[in-house]
Amino acid sequence: MPTRQKVVVLLIGFSIFFTIIYLVREKKLKEEYSWLWLLVGTCILSVSLNYDLLLFFTELTGAVLPTSTLFFFGLVSLVLICLQFSIRISQLTEEHKKIVQKIAIMDQELEMALDVKRKCQVPLEEESPVQCSPDSHQGESLRS
Amino acid sequence: MKVLVILPAFNEEKSVGLVVKKIIEMTPYDVLVVNDCSEDGTAEAAKMEGAIVLSHPVNMGYGVSIQTGYKYALKNSYDYLVQMDSDGQHETKSIFTLLGTVESGECDLAIGSRFLGGGDYSMEPLRKIGQCLFGGIASKISKKEFSDPTSGFQAMNRKVIKFFSSDIFPCDYPDADVIIMAHFAGVRIEEVPVVMYRNKTGKSIHSGMKPVYYVFKMFLAIFIILLKDKSSFQKKFNQN
């Protein structure tokens, strides 16, 4: 590998590596999402420092040029990172759904409790006593 | 016997009040409107007519809205649940037909079919094709005829409410895949003739590019269900 190419790849590898470490340190990136990026950075560094390793992988994959191997593994890494994000987004969507449903139900319960409280605070002229419990409807229809 | 009628609603200010009023006048049941973060006065219109209103803080879609209703019914110990649309498409009187089938113990889940009953319902050709295709698949798998698998007019007992409240329920366009899943779980399903009218507002969850995604999603969901261990559905349904 020509020295100029080596320097460029090394610079890119180190930049990725240190940016990720910096982001994790600053709590801008969670460790959970950093490992795959770090793995990609480490791979780029290893391959650029050890040209024989790149040649080995080129032969292993049946590629003609070592640069094709680099592009190939770069693409595979990006696909894996995207897949990890998709899995996480799916989990977050499910959690988000549960939180939204819970908030909607709790909000209604709170409103009902406040309503009962308000009724309890009404002066004694009320003819029928109001059962002052937010759970007073449990087990029976609200309209019966 | 506690019955809850749920109406998922998104920007249905003009129709939801009337639908709630009709149900309250004609039935002794509680009415729950799940307001899916409407931008208009849907929640106020429903509350004014005496409905219980649950409001999502963000828009989540039809499937999540009906599941919120299931979870509310489960939490508040309702014995039966009827779900219907809030745009006035579904005839209120048909609630009794649906509920009667479930209450009699004939089935656990009654699906209202617009094609078995009366009403002036007609469908666009594309929707009709989708309906026939997925209805055909559901019928073939369950060995039971389903003429209207996309019907949102349904009644169910507590066991099904609990089953649909779990994570197993597909909130993304719950349709023929739910029927197939319920069939594998051992849910006794019956199609019941109901009266439905054509949606006058023209609004549909199947508008724009959504039908393309809907077809893809439905095929994938059915394929995944077929790959799954059927006893896991049964276990979930029979869980106490």
Side-chain angles (χ1 to χ4, degrees):
Chain A
M1 191 189 252
T3 320
R4 190 183 281 191
Q5 264 185 24
K6 213 171 191 171
V7 170
V8 170
V9 177
L10 269 172
L11 271 175
I12 293 170
F14 273 118
S15 306
I16 294 174
F17 203 83
F18 285 113
T19 309
I20 290 158
I21 297 289
Y22 169 78
L23 289 172
V24 174
R25 205 193 77 168
E26 293 294 307
K27 299 253 177 234
K28 286 179 179 168
L29 178 67
K30 280 191 165 289
E31 290 89 342
E32 187 189 348
Y33 303 110
S34 63
W35 70 271
L36 210 51
W37 284 112
L38 284 174
L39 190 73
V40 173
T42 314
C43 287
I44 291 175
L45 280 176
S46 320
V47 164
S48 50
L49 288 173
N50 192 345
Y51 190 63
D52 288 338
L53 194 68
L54 183 61
L55 287 178
F56 169 74
F57 280 119
T58 306
E59 213 175 289
L60 196 78
T61 52
V64 180
L65 293 168
T67 42
S68 313
T69 318
L70 269 179
F71 275 115
F72 173 70
F73 280 110
L75 275 175
V76 170
S77 308
L78 285 177
V79 167
L80 286 176
I81 288 168
C82 285
L83 190 66
Q84 190 207 19
F85 285 169
S86 298
I87 293 169
R88 196 66 192 118
I89 289 170
S90 300
Q91 287 169 345
L92 289 173
T93 307
E94 187 60 27
E95 285 162 16
H96 177 236
K97 181 198 88 179
K98 282 181 187 165
I99 291 168
V100 165
Q101 288 178 324
K102 196 141 197 156
I103 287 175
I105 294 172
M106 282 171 72
D107 197 35
Q108 194 271 339
E109 284 171 349
L110 181 71
E111 215 171 281
M112 212 163 152
L114 287 173
D115 210 32
V116 171
K117 201 178 165 195
R118 244 177 267 134
K119 277 180 192 165
C120 290
Q121 284 165 350
V122 167
L124 295 166
E125 294 115 55
E126 286 274 344
E127 276 184 23
S128 55
V130 180
Q131 202 179 342
C132 298
S133 156
D135 298 327
S136 56
H137 71 285
Q138 293 278 337
E140 61 185 58
S141 169
L142 289 172
R143 291 181 59 202
S144 59
Chain B
M1 184 194 72
K2 277 179 82 181
V3 179
L4 181 70
V5 180
I6 64 165
L7 306 165
F10 176 64
N11 291 345
E12 297 285 3
E13 183 188 25
K14 285 179 188 155
S15 56
V16 75
L18 202 69
V19 177
V20 171
K21 194 179 171 194
K22 254 178 148 181
I23 301 169
I24 288 183
E25 275 172 5
M26 290 174 69
T27 74
Y29 313 135
D30 290 338
V31 183
L32 171 77
V33 171
V34 184
N35 169 34
D36 196 16
C37 198
S38 300
E39 288 147 358
D40 60 2
T42 300
E44 290 74 22
K47 255 183 219 166
M48 201 130 73
E49 295 301 336
I52 309 159
V53 178
L54 295 186
S55 289
H56 284 165
V58 285
N59 184 262
M60 297 297 290
Y62 176 78
V64 177
S65 300
I66 54 171
Q67 202 193 36
T68 304
Y70 300 152
K71 287 185 176 177
Y72 180 86
L74 189 70
K75 199 170 182 216
N76 291 284
S77 319
Y78 282 92
D79 303 303
Y80 298 100
L81 180 142
V82 178
Q83 72 177 58
M84 58 193 287
D85 288 355
S86 53
D87 55 6
Q89 267 196 89
H90 300 158
E91 172 57 53
T92 314
K93 281 179 198 159
S94 298
I95 290 177
F96 299 109
T97 324
L98 276 169
L99 205 56
T101 321
V102 183
E103 274 178 345
S104 66
E106 230 176 282
C107 64
D108 301 307
L109 171 67
I111 300 173
S113 170
R114 65 200 98 184
F115 305 114
L116 299 177
D120 63 350
Y121 206 92
S122 59
M123 237 179 210
E124 305 94 64
L126 260 176
R127 270 194 82 181
K128 186 92 189 154
I129 295 169
Q131 182 100 336
C132 289
L133 177 68
F134 293 114
I137 295 173
S139 305
K140 190 101 185 150
I141 293 171
S142 59
K143 293 180 183 72
K144 201 176 183 102
E145 204 55 49
F146 287 106
S147 59
D148 197 358
T150 58
S151 170
F153 201 6
Q154 303 178 357
M156 60 197 75
N157 61 18
R158 191 169 165 76
K159 222 174 153 188
V160 180
I161 298 172
K162 194 173 179 190
F163 181 55
F164 285 172
S165 297
S166 68
D167 292 344
I168 218 159
F169 185 75
C171 286
D172 200 9
Y173 293 115
D175 255 327
D177 51 342
V178 175
I179 296 176
I180 296 168
M181 188 183 74
H183 161 74
F184 285 134
V187 177
R188 292 170 302 145
I189 314 166
E190 281 297 330
E191 248 194 351
V192 176
V194 292
V195 180
M196 285 192 206
Y197 305 105
R198 204 177 158 77
N199 184 356
K200 290 180 183 82
T201 60
K203 272 196 304 178
S204 167
I205 56 165
H206 300 289
S207 56
M209 279 303 282
K210 286 174 188 167
V212 181
Y213 171 68
Y214 167 78
V215 171
F216 166 75
K217 187 262 157 180
M218 207 47 70
F219 272 123
L220 181 68
I222 293 170
F223 180 63
I224 298 291
I225 290 171
L226 293 175
L227 286 180
K228 274 192 179 172
D229 177 20
K230 313 294 177 290
S231 63
S232 66
F233 297 128
Q234 283 166 4
K235 234 180 262 171
K236 199 96 189 170
F237 179 55
N238 293 316
Q239 239 172 30
N240 281 315

